[in-house]
Amino acid sequence: MSGGGLSLDELKDLQKQLSKLSSGGNAEAVLAILQQLKAGLHPTEDIIRQSKIGVAVGKLRSHADKSVADQAKALVKDWKSIVDKQRKTKDAASTTKSPSAAPSPSAAGASNRTPASVDGSAKASPVPPAKIDFDTLGDKVRNACLKLLYQSLEIDREAQGLDPSSLFQVAVSIERAILENQGKGSVTQEYRSKVRSLSLNLKDKNNPQLRARVANGEIAPDRLVTMTNEQDLASDKRRQEIEELQMQNLFKAKGAAAQEAETDAFQCGRCKQRKTRYYQMQTRSADEPMTTFVTCVHCNHKWKFC
């Protein structure tokens, strides 16, 4: 059981529910789960990591509904603050344990290093464990690119309960995929450009969903390095803006010969009225059905279907 009364299984179930609801429009259901988490979970680093609840809540910070986004941001901020305090308390206790025993040289060295790591990483990016080696690739440029990718992935790592060594392995896999796909086995200009482009997209504060999906293995490295910036890597908000712009351009690009006709066969999804105008255009290959463009006469809402 967690400190707040929710068991690990219950948290995993809530995590699954949030993952399913994150792309839908049921804001009330999402808010209800967030309230349940706020009231029933006393977070610890272990429970957040094991249940992956931090990942699910983190994705909601860019939710289309402002109340959901604000509640998710507040939860992540509170959990991060609590986990940071727990870590500081644990580290402080370990340095003062067994005061009567004389420390060995190795123990003394370890205790001297502990406060420095706590003070230096409490508010900044966490210092990677010793087993994370950014010089492992045997090439200065590749090592620098590997470090850049890791630093892009580790944003919000603590709040989402992600393990540094796991993130490092993800970064290694991404770098290797870029080398094979864009670099064709060598450090080329295409390789460098792809590393910079992916790094910028992964650490975009407006696109936490992409970072979380990559960190958790939902998007495999081989697929990630072939995704395009405009659509695949864009945040949900940006993708919606692109689709709306494309829709507007399609309506503006109708030919002079395309004549609109009025009909009551379609119902507007916005105002529910049936007085509409429509026209058809071949937007795909010749053997595909024509696309129908509809405009509501009452509210000017536009939509299309094939």
Side-chain angles (χ1 to χ4, degrees), residues 108-180:
S111 95
N112 288 337
R113 289 194 299 270
T114 301
S117 65
V118 171
D119 293 341
S121 63
K123 294 184 179 179
S125 297
V127 178
K131 61 182 177 181
I132 293 182
D133 183 10
F134 291 115
D135 296 324
T136 189
L137 300 178
D139 181 274
K140 186 176 180 180
V141 175
R142 289 185 63 193
N143 289 333
C145 290
L146 173 61
K147 186 174 183 179
L148 184 64
L149 291 168
Y150 175 85
Q151 290 173 339
S152 301
L153 286 169
E154 72 167 350
I155 298 173
D156 297 333
R157 177 188 67 78
E158 293 181 0
Q160 297 187 25
L162 297 173
D163 180 63
S165 59
S166 298
L167 282 183
F168 179 71
Q169 291 305 317
V170 173
V172 169
S173 298
I174 294 173
E175 189 279 335
R176 185 184 302 115
I178 297 175
L179 185 73
E180 295 174 356

Side-chain angles (χ1 to χ4, degrees), residues 7-278:
S7 69
L8 180 58
D9 288 340
E10 289 172 328
L11 285 173
K12 287 182 177 180
D13 182 61
L14 291 176
Q15 184 266 339
K16 292 178 181 178
Q17 293 182 45
L18 284 180
S19 297
K20 292 179 181 178
L21 292 169
S22 60
S23 59
N26 195 343
E28 293 183 1
V30 176
L31 285 171
I33 295 176
L34 293 179
Q35 287 295 337
Q36 185 177 354
L37 289 171
K38 181 177 180 180
L41 172 62
H42 178 66
T44 65
E45 187 172 5
D46 287 340
I47 200 71
I48 290 178
R49 180 184 295 116
Q50 293 176 32
S51 65
K52 295 185 180 180
I53 194 65
V55 176
V57 175
K59 292 180 180 180
L60 297 173
R61 289 177 295 179
S62 59
H63 196 277
D65 189 287
K66 187 176 184 301
S67 58
V68 171
D70 290 344
Q71 181 75 353
K73 290 175 184 177
L75 266 183
V76 170
K77 182 178 180 181
D78 290 345
W79 291 351
K80 186 177 186 302
S81 176
I82 293 172
V83 170
D84 284 345
K85 289 179 181 178
Q86 291 171 351
R87 186 178 292 109
K88 287 182 180 180
T89 302
K90 185 185 297 184
D91 289 343
S94 65
T95 59
T96 58
K97 192 175 182 180
S98 303
S100 59
S104 65
S106 60
S111 95
N112 288 337
R113 289 194 299 270
T114 301
S117 65
V118 171
D119 293 341
S121 63
K123 294 184 179 179
S125 297
V127 178
K131 61 182 177 181
I132 293 182
D133 183 10
F134 291 115
D135 296 324
T136 189
L137 300 178
D139 181 274
K140 186 176 180 180
V141 175
R142 289 185 63 193
N143 289 333
C145 290
L146 173 61
K147 186 174 183 179
L148 184 64
L149 291 168
Y150 175 85
Q151 290 173 339
S152 301
L153 286 169
E154 72 167 350
I155 298 173
D156 297 333
R157 177 188 67 78
E158 293 181 0
Q160 297 187 25
L162 297 173
D163 180 63
S165 59
S166 298
L167 282 183
F168 179 71
Q169 291 305 317
V170 173
V172 169
S173 298
I174 294 173
E175 189 279 335
R176 185 184 302 115
I178 297 175
L179 185 73
E180 295 174 356
N181 191 285
Q182 279 76 23
K184 308 302 180 185
S186 303
V187 178
T188 62
Q189 184 59 42
E190 289 78 8
Y191 166 90
R192 297 170 185 260
S193 298
K194 191 62 178 181
V195 170
R196 285 194 295 267
S197 173
L198 271 183
S199 174
L200 289 172
N201 280 282
L202 287 170
K203 65 184 180 182
D204 183 357
K205 65 180 182 179
N206 295 318
N207 198 4
Q209 303 100 326
L210 175 66
R211 188 164 54 249
R213 292 174 66 197
V214 172
N216 286 284
E218 186 178 339
I219 300 178
D222 289 340
R223 178 182 167 223
L224 175 68
V225 300
T226 60
M227 294 168 69
T228 61
N229 290 345
E230 183 177 18
Q231 280 284 10
D232 297 334
L233 297 176
S235 64
D236 291 342
K237 181 179 180 181
R238 177 56 183 160
R239 191 177 295 112
Q240 183 178 357
E241 291 174 351
I242 293 173
E243 290 175 354
E244 290 177 354
L245 181 60
Q246 290 175 341
M247 173 77 78
Q248 292 175 10
N249 291 337
L250 280 172
F251 272 92
K252 291 177 182 178
K254 66 178 182 178
Q259 298 295 319
E260 290 187 328
E262 288 196 5
T263 180
D264 60 358
F266 311 116
Q267 184 179 34
C268 176
R270 179 182 294 171
C271 70
K272 308 303 179 184
Q273 298 294 322
R274 286 188 171 275
K275 189 175 182 180
T276 60
R277 296 191 307 271
Y278 78 97

